Amino acid sequence: MKTIEKITFPLLLCVVALTACSPKELDPKAYASWIENPDNGLNTTAVAGDFKFNLQYKPLTYVAFLNLEKEHANKVEFLKNVEELKELQYYTLRINPNGGGGEMLQTNLTSKDEYFYRVQYFSFQLKRDLYLVEGKDSLPCVFAHFERSYAVSPNNNFILAFPISEKEKSLRAQGKEYLTDKVLVYNDQYLQTGQVKLKIDKKSFANIPDLKL
């Protein structure tokens, strides 16, 4: 009897562990909330100087859902959009004054002209100072769109896109997942923060649920 118990208990633990790690499937509203919840590891924050930086990783299915949400697209259109997006990986970077209040573009200005320099830089030049580190790979930012709030909100959002590494492309072709830490590096030019790093742990990518359509 003791022998059976010794075998059964570890086996039970394995079954429970496998069940807990099995893919989840969530309806669109619950799926979006899960992706955006900082507790799930795809949304991370760092404070540097007088500013707070927040990074949101956006899976392909999440981006495709947001793109088509207002159009009430069907599953065929959704999968087509995923296919069109698959060559890049997507993030949203948010920069706020730490502690709230004011707007990033107008915080700690040293001159009247600096505001216009910041607008120019964040609108057209930001991507040159951003890159994504994945293991030994450093991937350049290929797209950075500034969603200006025009003082309506202190939030300043930047829609970012980076290429897929050659290693990940190779594994995808073999039907395998590429799980690695992703570190966004920002070499600041105007906010006096120095270099800023925001890391998303590879463990978080293994737990992303499926989207139920």
Side-chain angles (χ1 to χ4, degrees):
M1 180 64 71
K2 289 183 179 180
T3 302
I4 295 175
E5 288 176 350
K6 287 181 180 179
I7 296 174
T8 304
F9 185 68
L11 181 60
L12 180 60
L13 288 178
C14 289
V15 171
V16 171
L18 288 172
T19 303
C21 295
S22 60
K24 294 178 291 183
E25 188 177 59
L26 299 175
D27 63 56
K29 185 176 181 179
Y31 173 81
S33 295
W34 193 99
I35 296 297
E36 296 164 7
N37 187 341
D39 291 340
N40 294 321
L42 301 180
N43 183 305
T44 185
T45 298
V47 174
D50 294 323
F51 297 90
K52 180 165 63 175
F53 296 79
N54 176 268
L55 182 67
Q56 173 71 62
Y57 170 73
K58 300 186 294 188
L60 285 178
T61 48
Y62 176 83
V63 178
F65 166 68
L66 293 182
N67 286 350
L68 302 175
E69 182 180 18
K70 295 180 180 179
E71 301 176 15
H72 303 289
N74 58 38
K75 190 171 183 178
V76 172
E77 292 170 318
F78 172 81
L79 293 175
K80 181 181 177 182
N81 197 234
V82 169
E83 184 68 19
E84 292 171 349
L85 294 166
K86 71 178 185 179
E87 295 303 317
L88 298 173
Q89 51 182 311
Y90 303 89
Y91 300 78
T92 292
L93 174 66
R94 175 176 291 174
I95 306 175
N96 297 332
N98 190 29
E103 184 190 13
M104 176 269 286
L105 292 173
Q106 301 187 53
T107 300
N108 296 346
L109 293 177
T110 58
S111 69
K112 292 181 180 179
D113 290 338
E114 187 177 358
Y115 172 79
F116 299 102
Y117 294 149
R118 285 187 184 183
V119 171
Q120 180 77 10
Y121 170 76
F122 285 108
S123 297
F124 304 108
Q125 301 167 17
L126 175 65
K127 73 176 186 179
R128 71 186 186 188
D129 293 317
L130 291 167
Y131 62 95
L132 192 70
V133 176
E134 296 182 355
K136 296 181 180 180
D137 293 316
S138 293
L139 308 173
C141 181
V142 297
F143 178 81
H145 172 64
F146 184 12
E147 293 186 334
R148 290 189 62 187
S149 63
Y150 293 95
V152 174
S153 163
N155 295 330
N156 291 275
N157 295 338
F158 301 89
I159 310 305
L160 310 179
F162 297 84
I164 302 298
S165 70
E166 292 302 319
K167 184 173 183 179
E168 182 166 359
K169 288 180 182 178
S170 176
L171 288 173
R172 280 186 181 183
Q174 301 173 51
K176 299 177 182 179
E177 280 190 288
Y178 179 47
L179 298 179
T180 183
D181 295 339
K182 296 178 184 287
V183 182
L184 178 73
V185 180
Y186 168 52
N187 291 315
D188 170 59
Q189 300 296 324
Y190 282 97
L191 303 180
Q192 292 80 51
T193 63
Q195 188 180 78
V196 179
K197 294 183 179 181
L198 295 126
K199 176 184 175 181
I200 298 180
D201 193 283
K202 62 183 178 182
K203 295 178 182 178
S204 302
F205 297 106
N207 298 322
I208 298 175
D210 293 325
L211 172 62
K212 183 178 181 180
L213 295 175

